[in-house]
Structures are given as C-alpha cells and as structure tokens.
Amino acid sequence: DAGVIQSPRHEVTEMGQEVTLRCKPISGHDYLFWYRQTMMRGLELLIYFNNNVPIDDSGMPEDRFSAKMPNASFSTLKIQPSEPRDSAVYFCASMVANSGNTIYFGEGSWLTVV
Amino acid sequence: AQSVTQLGSHVSVSEGALVLLRCNYSSSVPPYLFWYVQYPNQGLQLLLKYTSAATLVKGINGFEAEFKKSETSFHLTKPSAHMSDAAEYFCAASDSWGKLQFGAGTQVVVTP
C-alpha cells in the first residue's frame, strides 16, 4: 500500500517567494495533519483536518501560513511570503478513526528559504 | 494537554548492549502513547504504541516499551543494540483524536 506521499521532497527558495507543499494521505484515512520539525522547536503540529474540514489550526505560526484540503486525497500547505525562519522539514501525516490514534507520516518536505 | 519529557537528548550504547530510552508523560488520564523512530533524512516510523490493551508493548525491530501508570512512564528498551538502531527516537502522547504531543527526541549512537 502507498503511504503518505509528499511533494516536493526538497525545495530551496528565495525569501519572499511563495511555497506550496503538497500531500496525498493514505487512501481511506479521514484525518490529515501537518507538522513542522526544526532543531530549535522539535516537532510541532501546525494544523489538522477531519473529513477535509480544518479542526485545529492553533499551531499555524502566522497569517503567512495557510492550509487547505479540497478533497479527501489532497492537501496543501502554503507559505506566502516565505522567510528564512520558515526553513524546516514539513511532515504530512494521516490517520483513520478508531485505529488507536495511529498516525502515519510521509517522508517530509525539506524546505530551505535563503 | 499532554506533555512529554524524554530524558537525555543523546544516548551512546555499545553494539550488543541494552538500549534504554526514557519517556515520561503528564496526564490524569492514561493516554495513547507511542514511540517513533526517525532515520537520517527520513520521516517518522511507528515503532510501537500503547492503547491500554497490555502494559508491555512489543514493537518492530526488537523494541518494546512498558507502560507504568504509577510512574507516568513509557520507557523504550531493546536487549541488544545493533548498528542499524542508530537514529533519533521520539516518544509521543495524545489524549484526544490525533493531537500528538512529541518529546524532544533522543539521538541514539551505537558504537562498535
């Protein structure tokens, strides 16, 4: 079975540019999560969706960040404009209800903003 | 909300020696507890999880963890370390749907 698929795997962009990260959750999973990993702050939950509806976005750092889930098989995390402090690994993860809260992670999108 | 504390940001073990990674959580209600492993430049892989079925949980790659409610702990062990165990290990807890709270991680180095 395919796992959580993220793209791009690596991106280097200039400060001020728009960045769009993409995620395809595991088929049949009804929860989708975006996490960010940095050396300073570790793993942070940015936002999560249930049945395509954003449930908790309290972890989104500021208005420059936005996330959407237009359908059950696709989500995006957008940063506009990007800043060097946004450099991090962004993980998408998914889960199916009644699975004992087992969350499956993608391989991550490694973002560098210069 | 859950908080998770991992004692020791770095652990060095000899090949063949016991691996012990410590994790404590804070909660008045037994949570779901997890250990994840992250190899360099990769995502997080689930090692094992506790969901109240049994206090001793066995996972992949020979790892196991024991839930101790009285100590609010969920320490990870492996009897004999292998070079391939070198990675970063994260303890995580949740008491609601999917909102995992991660510990800071423990980097494991295995020496020959």
Side-chain angles (χ1 to χ4, degrees):
Chain A
D1 287 342
V4 177
I5 300 172
Q6 293 186 244
S7 64
R9 287 296 315 278
H10 299 272
E11 178 149 351
V12 180
T13 190
E14 291 185 347
M15 182 174 62
Q17 296 298 305
E18 178 179 290
V19 173
T20 300
L21 308 178
R22 297 173 177 80
C23 175
K24 177 180 170 57
I26 295 172
S27 177
H29 283 198
D30 50 359
Y31 285 81
L32 183 139
F33 309 86
W34 283 100
Y35 282 86
R36 178 172 67 176
Q37 185 179 34
T38 61
M39 289 291 290
M40 293 296 294
R41 301 175 66 91
L43 279 155
E44 306 172 275
L45 176 64
L46 300 178
I47 185 171
Y48 79 95
F49 297 82
N50 177 222
N51 292 323
N52 314 336
V53 176
I55 303 301
D56 185 348
D57 65 355
S58 60
M60 295 285 265
E62 50 196 273
D63 292 345
R64 296 185 298 107
F65 285 70
S66 62
K68 294 182 180 180
M69 192 167 186
N71 58 62
S73 59
F74 184 67
S75 176
T76 59
L77 177 67
K78 188 173 294 187
I79 308 172
Q80 168 61 23
S82 58
E83 297 182 2
R85 60 191 168 124
D86 302 329
S87 298
V89 185
Y90 292 83
F91 288 104
C92 180
S94 69
M95 179 185 83
V96 62
N98 302 319
S99 65
N101 275 18
T102 302
I103 295 177
Y104 296 89
F105 284 78
E107 292 289 294
S109 291
W110 302 70
L111 174 65
T112 302
V113 183
V114 297
Chain B
Q2 288 287 341
S3 72
V4 177
T5 302
Q6 290 184 241
L7 297 177
S9 59
H10 287 80
V11 168
S12 182
V13 297
S14 299
E15 192 174 17
L18 171 72
V19 179
L20 170 61
L21 305 182
R22 300 179 187 275
C23 173
N24 290 88
Y25 65 93
S26 68
S27 174
S28 60
V29 176
Y32 293 102
L33 293 164
F34 306 82
W35 277 99
Y36 283 86
V37 60
Q38 185 178 28
Y39 298 102
N41 301 319
Q42 294 188 24
L44 281 79
Q45 179 182 3
L46 180 68
L47 270 180
L48 50 80
K49 68 177 182 181
Y50 166 77
T51 57
S52 78
T55 56
L56 184 62
V57 182
K58 294 187 183 299
I60 63 172
N61 301 340
F63 284 93
E64 64 182 34
E66 186 173 10
F67 172 72
K68 291 187 177 180
K69 183 179 178 180
S70 61
E71 299 177 6
T72 60
S73 69
F74 190 57
H75 302 331
L76 181 71
T77 60
K78 181 174 180 177
S80 176
H82 191 272
M83 297 299 290
S84 61
D85 295 326
E88 188 156 20
Y89 293 79
F90 292 92
C91 182
S94 71
D95 55 10
S96 61
W97 282 112
K99 286 193 71 172
L100 278 178
Q101 182 69 42
F102 282 91
T106 298
Q107 185 71 45
V108 172
V109 174
V110 182
T111 57

